[in-house]
Amino acid sequence: MAAMNKQYSNIFSQFYQPVVNIKDGGISHYEVLLRPQDESKYSALSIFQYIMSIEKTGEIELLDRWNINEMARKMDSPFHAYGFPCSINLSPLTIQSDGFLEYLNDVMSKMKHPERLHFEITETSEILDYKKVNDFISMVKTFGSEVAMDDFGTGFANLESLKQLDVDIIKIDQMYVRDCLRDVEHRKFISDTVDYAKEHNKKVVAEFVEDPSIEKLLLKMGVDCGQGYLYGKAEKKPESYISIQSNIQRAIETLGFETRQERSDTLSKTK
């Protein structure tokens, strides 16, 4: 295990992308994304392909454990990521594997701030044992953590699987968000997801929010949080609230979408 951890440390770095509350522009949390340690050897695409390959070979649990261990170590500092929660991706294969829950319970029991370690269940593998996955969700919730269903609407993540899982957050995949201004069916999917979430007391996060016009539509539709280049790219050091607000204002001015006051008025009407 130690040798494998060293191998992953030589390949991966943990980058942080902000997830922002659309109504007030505040930081909700950061998603931790894996990026290449050495960009001369790996690209972001090749890293993704590498992760997919080890998922197929069944070695994904080793990577997921490395990711957890790294984040648990960093979160010993109360000032890590400005004190906001950080979510990491977990494969269903890892969650359903024998011994994983015992391992994770042991790690979180030793953390000073376990409530700030959140999780996203990826859609890259099918969930076969819903009881095991719900046991995982129940266990981490005892520490104050939240669990999201990632990339909802693609792969194995669908409404039927969602109904069987007690997740806190639904993350709408980017394919529905990036064309939502032009695509009626994509808007309907987002609207239906929001309706389901509100009925079942869950939050909705939209991925790939890249400009203020998309954010404005999502706000009207009742989406809780946004993630994307409008707020900030994945960075080795988490972007601060001030930096995120600067990113938003720069996008507003560049696109000529609306003035700061008009955006403020729009937001105030939703509260």
Side-chain angles (χ1 to χ4, degrees):
M1 181 68 75
M4 187 62 70
N5 282 346
K6 183 177 181 181
Q7 173 187 328
Y8 288 141
S9 295
N10 291 334
I11 297 174
F12 295 105
S13 287
Q14 292 176 321
F15 278 52
Y16 301 78
Q17 187 171 31
V19 179
V20 173
N21 293 306
I22 294 180
K23 284 188 177 181
D24 61 18
I27 299 170
S28 168
H29 60 281
Y30 295 91
E31 181 181 1
V32 178
L33 300 165
L34 298 181
R35 294 292 185 262
Q37 184 76 253
D38 185 348
E39 293 185 352
S40 67
K41 293 183 178 179
Y42 298 95
S43 65
L45 177 60
S46 64
I47 283 291
F48 174 77
Q49 292 170 338
Y50 178 71
I51 294 173
M52 292 300 97
S53 68
I54 63 175
E55 176 130 23
K56 291 179 180 178
T57 62
E59 295 179 4
I60 189 67
E61 183 178 354
L62 294 174
L63 175 59
D64 283 343
R65 289 196 182 207
W66 173 84
N67 205 14
I68 291 169
N69 290 339
E70 287 292 296
M71 192 52 52
R73 177 180 60 80
K74 293 176 182 178
M75 282 190 164
D76 274 347
S77 166
F79 305 108
H80 176 261
Y82 308 103
F84 287 100
C86 294
S87 66
I88 60 176
N89 294 318
L90 281 182
S91 166
L93 292 179
T94 296
I95 297 170
Q96 295 169 107
S97 67
D98 294 336
F100 176 73
L101 292 193
E102 290 80 3
Y103 150 78
L104 184 58
N105 184 73
D106 181 62
V107 170
M108 297 186 75
S109 296
K110 295 174 181 176
M111 290 177 62
K112 295 178 181 178
H113 304 281
E115 74 284 354
R116 288 170 47 211
L117 180 59
H118 294 188
F119 302 92
E120 299 187 12
I121 302 174
T122 65
E123 50 72 50
T124 49
S125 295
E126 186 176 6
I127 295 174
L128 300 175
D129 190 335
Y130 282 91
K131 183 182 183 306
K132 268 193 173 180
V133 178
N134 277 319
D135 286 346
F136 151 76
I137 295 172
S138 297
M139 189 271 288
V140 300
K141 282 186 177 184
T142 64
F143 291 99
S145 298
E146 292 187 342
V147 180
M149 171 68 82
D150 195 20
D151 297 329
F152 182 63
T154 64
F156 295 100
N158 54 49
L159 187 58
E160 290 308 308
S161 61
L162 184 63
K163 287 179 179 178
Q164 299 182 66
L165 297 173
D166 188 25
V167 297
D168 305 284
I169 300 169
I170 305 170
K171 294 193 70 175
I172 299 176
D173 186 76
Q174 60 173 285
M175 68 173 284
Y176 296 100
V177 179
R178 64 190 176 201
D179 294 325
C180 65
L181 294 173
R182 298 183 297 273
D183 194 304
V184 175
E185 289 302 314
H186 287 185
R187 288 199 299 275
K188 184 178 185 307
F189 178 85
I190 295 171
S191 179
D192 289 347
T193 302
V194 170
D195 289 344
Y196 176 86
K198 292 188 181 303
E199 183 180 348
H200 294 85
N201 196 31
K202 303 179 189 301
K203 292 185 289 187
V204 176
V205 175
E207 301 176 341
F208 209 79
V209 182
E210 294 206 331
D211 66 68
S213 54
I214 290 178
E215 183 196 47
K216 185 176 182 179
L217 175 60
L218 296 172
L219 174 66
K220 289 182 177 179
M221 297 177 78
V223 173
D224 299 288
C225 298
Q227 179 178 356
Y229 285 3
L230 174 62
Y231 312 110
K233 299 180 180 180
E235 303 285 357
K236 206 160 192 177
K237 179 182 177 183
E239 291 212 59
S240 67
Y241 172 81
I242 293 175
S243 178
I244 292 168
Q245 297 309 305
S246 296
N247 293 339
I248 295 172
Q249 184 59 28
R250 187 160 50 249
I252 289 171
E253 294 170 352
T254 300
L255 297 175
F257 168 66
E258 55 185 26
T259 66
R260 180 188 293 269
Q261 185 58 49
E262 286 172 343
R263 181 176 188 276
S264 177
D265 292 343
T266 299
L267 296 176
S268 65
K269 292 176 183 178
T270 67
K271 296 180 180 178

